[in-house]
């Protein structure tokens, strides 16, 4: 298992083109939360993993392919990266700014003997890190069949920019799969826009309509944008949107 470390900012267990002291505090918060994260996210994972299988199948991605590659942006403790590596992809790049989270991912990969299929990048990834030829701590343009971004988008200030970055990582016809909070009140997204709350929340989530708009703005073709499931957290039911968008076969990076 290869591993790259770096200094990261802004986090969802992901990233945020949101530099500064507050973002660094968010990274530290996730490092501290890593011990309890799997317990707290158990109901989410119970729904998210089978739904991910169904979304990939709907997009024409079935079975294991040694040559298939995925990138998990904001991989956390590997709750989705591990199934990708075991069931679908010969290689998964797990990206996260939280070193604490990624330590748990590494242990899981070792327990399942998947370390040869997973590489780790422990830093914030920005569009400047997606380059031709790749390199240490960099992402190769046009390298991936799947980019997964689970429960991270609400931490990103520039959501269109993030989707454009994901697009640049994809091979032609590759797909972006996104899980995101689905606000029950569609106005909440605009009300929270630009605000920083706990753990660097920048937006209130995504609706099917807002995902369609974001994908279109990023030059992606939407394949799926619907309510996926709801999970229990602190006695609340949290609705989740699943969005899948595809890079056009003729698209430039």
């Amino acid at each position: 298992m290869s591993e790259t470390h770096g200094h990261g900012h802004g986090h969802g267990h992901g990233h945020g083109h949101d530099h500064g002291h507050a973002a660094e505090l968010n990274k530290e918060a996730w490092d501290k939360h890593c011990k309890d994260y799997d317990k707290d996210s158990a109901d989410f994972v119970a729904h998210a993993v089978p739904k991910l299988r169904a979304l990939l199948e709907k997009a024409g991605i079935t079975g294991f392919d040694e040559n298939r590659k995925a990138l998990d942006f904001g991989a956390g403790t590997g709750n989705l990266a591990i199934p990708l590596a075991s069931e679908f992809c010969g290689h998964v790049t797990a990206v996260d700014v939280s070193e604490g989270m990624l330590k748990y991912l590494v242990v899981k990969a070792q327990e399942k003997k998947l370390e040869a299929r997973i590489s780790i990048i422990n830093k914030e990834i920005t569009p400047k890190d997606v380059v031709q030829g790749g390199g240490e701590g960099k992402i190769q343009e046009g390298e991936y069949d799947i980019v997964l971004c689970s429960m991270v988008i609400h931490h990103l200030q520039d959501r269109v920019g993030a989707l454009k970055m994901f697009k640049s990582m994809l091979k032609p016809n590759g797909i972006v799969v996104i899980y995101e909070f689905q606000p029950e009140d569609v106005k909440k997204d605009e009300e929270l826009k630009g605000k920083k709350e706990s753990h660097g929340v920048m937006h209130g989530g995504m609706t099917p309509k807002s995902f369609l708009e974001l994908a279109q703005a990023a030059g992606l073709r939407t394949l799926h944008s619907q309510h996926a499931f709801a999970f229990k957290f602190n006695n609340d039911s949290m609705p989740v949107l699943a969005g899948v968008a595809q890079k056009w076969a003729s698209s430039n990076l």
Side-chain angles (χ1 to χ4, degrees):
M1 178 180 291
S2 62
E3 192 164 353
T4 297
H5 294 274
H7 182 68
H9 307 272
H11 189 243
H13 16 231
H15 309 250
H17 312 289
D18 144 55
H19 303 267
H21 180 63
E24 182 62 25
L25 291 176
N26 293 331
K27 173 187 175 296
E28 293 174 3
W30 284 107
D31 280 341
K32 292 178 181 178
H33 183 51
C34 62
K35 291 186 293 184
D36 300 318
Y37 183 77
D38 282 348
K39 180 181 69 174
D40 292 344
S41 62
D43 195 55
F44 171 84
V45 174
H47 290 84
V49 172
K51 184 64 177 180
L52 178 60
R53 295 188 186 108
L55 291 169
L56 293 177
E57 182 176 357
K58 186 176 180 180
I61 296 175
T62 58
F64 180 80
D65 186 336
E66 184 67 35
N67 296 316
R68 187 181 292 137
K69 295 184 178 181
L71 182 142
D72 188 352
F73 185 86
T77 63
N79 288 324
L80 299 179
I82 296 295
L84 279 175
S86 63
E87 300 178 34
F88 293 98
C89 301
H91 182 79
V92 175
T93 301
V95 179
D96 206 290
V97 297
S98 171
E99 184 178 5
M101 290 281 199
L102 289 173
K103 285 181 177 178
Y104 282 84
L105 185 155
V106 169
V107 170
K108 291 178 186 177
Q110 292 171 342
E111 289 175 346
K112 295 184 178 295
K113 303 187 184 307
L114 292 171
E115 56 264 53
R117 294 184 190 169
I118 299 177
S119 61
I120 300 295
I121 298 180
N122 177 210
K123 60 175 283 186
E124 179 188 16
I125 294 296
T126 71
K128 293 180 180 179
D129 294 305
V130 186
V131 297
Q132 293 183 1
E136 182 73 10
K138 302 291 185 180
I139 302 296
Q140 167 76 36
E141 284 184 344
E143 178 79 358
Y144 295 96
D145 302 281
I146 304 163
V147 173
L148 173 65
C149 181
S150 176
M151 311 306 281
V152 173
I153 292 290
H154 60 280
H155 296 278
L156 306 183
Q157 189 168 22
D158 183 3
R159 298 186 294 181
V160 173
L163 265 67
K164 287 181 176 179
M165 180 176 69
F166 299 156
K167 175 187 169 186
S168 72
M169 299 173 179
L170 289 171
K171 300 174 183 177
N173 291 320
I175 63 167
V176 178
V177 181
I178 289 177
Y179 284 140
E180 188 49 85
F181 290 114
Q182 183 177 351
E184 295 177 350
D185 180 355
V186 295
K187 295 181 180 179
K188 184 180 180 184
D189 185 67
E190 289 302 318
E191 291 172 358
L192 292 181
K193 187 176 182 180
K195 294 183 179 179
K196 291 184 179 180
E197 297 189 353
S198 62
H199 290 74
V201 174
M202 305 299 291
H203 302 276
M206 299 178 80
T207 65
K209 182 175 182 290
S210 66
F211 179 82
L212 285 164
E213 293 170 347
L214 288 167
Q216 183 177 18
L220 294 162
R221 180 168 71 102
T222 298
L223 301 181
H224 181 94
S225 182
Q226 294 179 9
H227 172 77
F229 55 85
F231 69 98
K232 294 178 181 178
F233 183 75
N234 290 339
N235 297 319
D236 290 326
S237 179
M238 311 295 288
V240 175
L241 173 92
V244 181
Q246 186 174 45
K247 181 175 179 176
W248 295 94
S250 60
S251 176
N252 294 322
L253 290 173

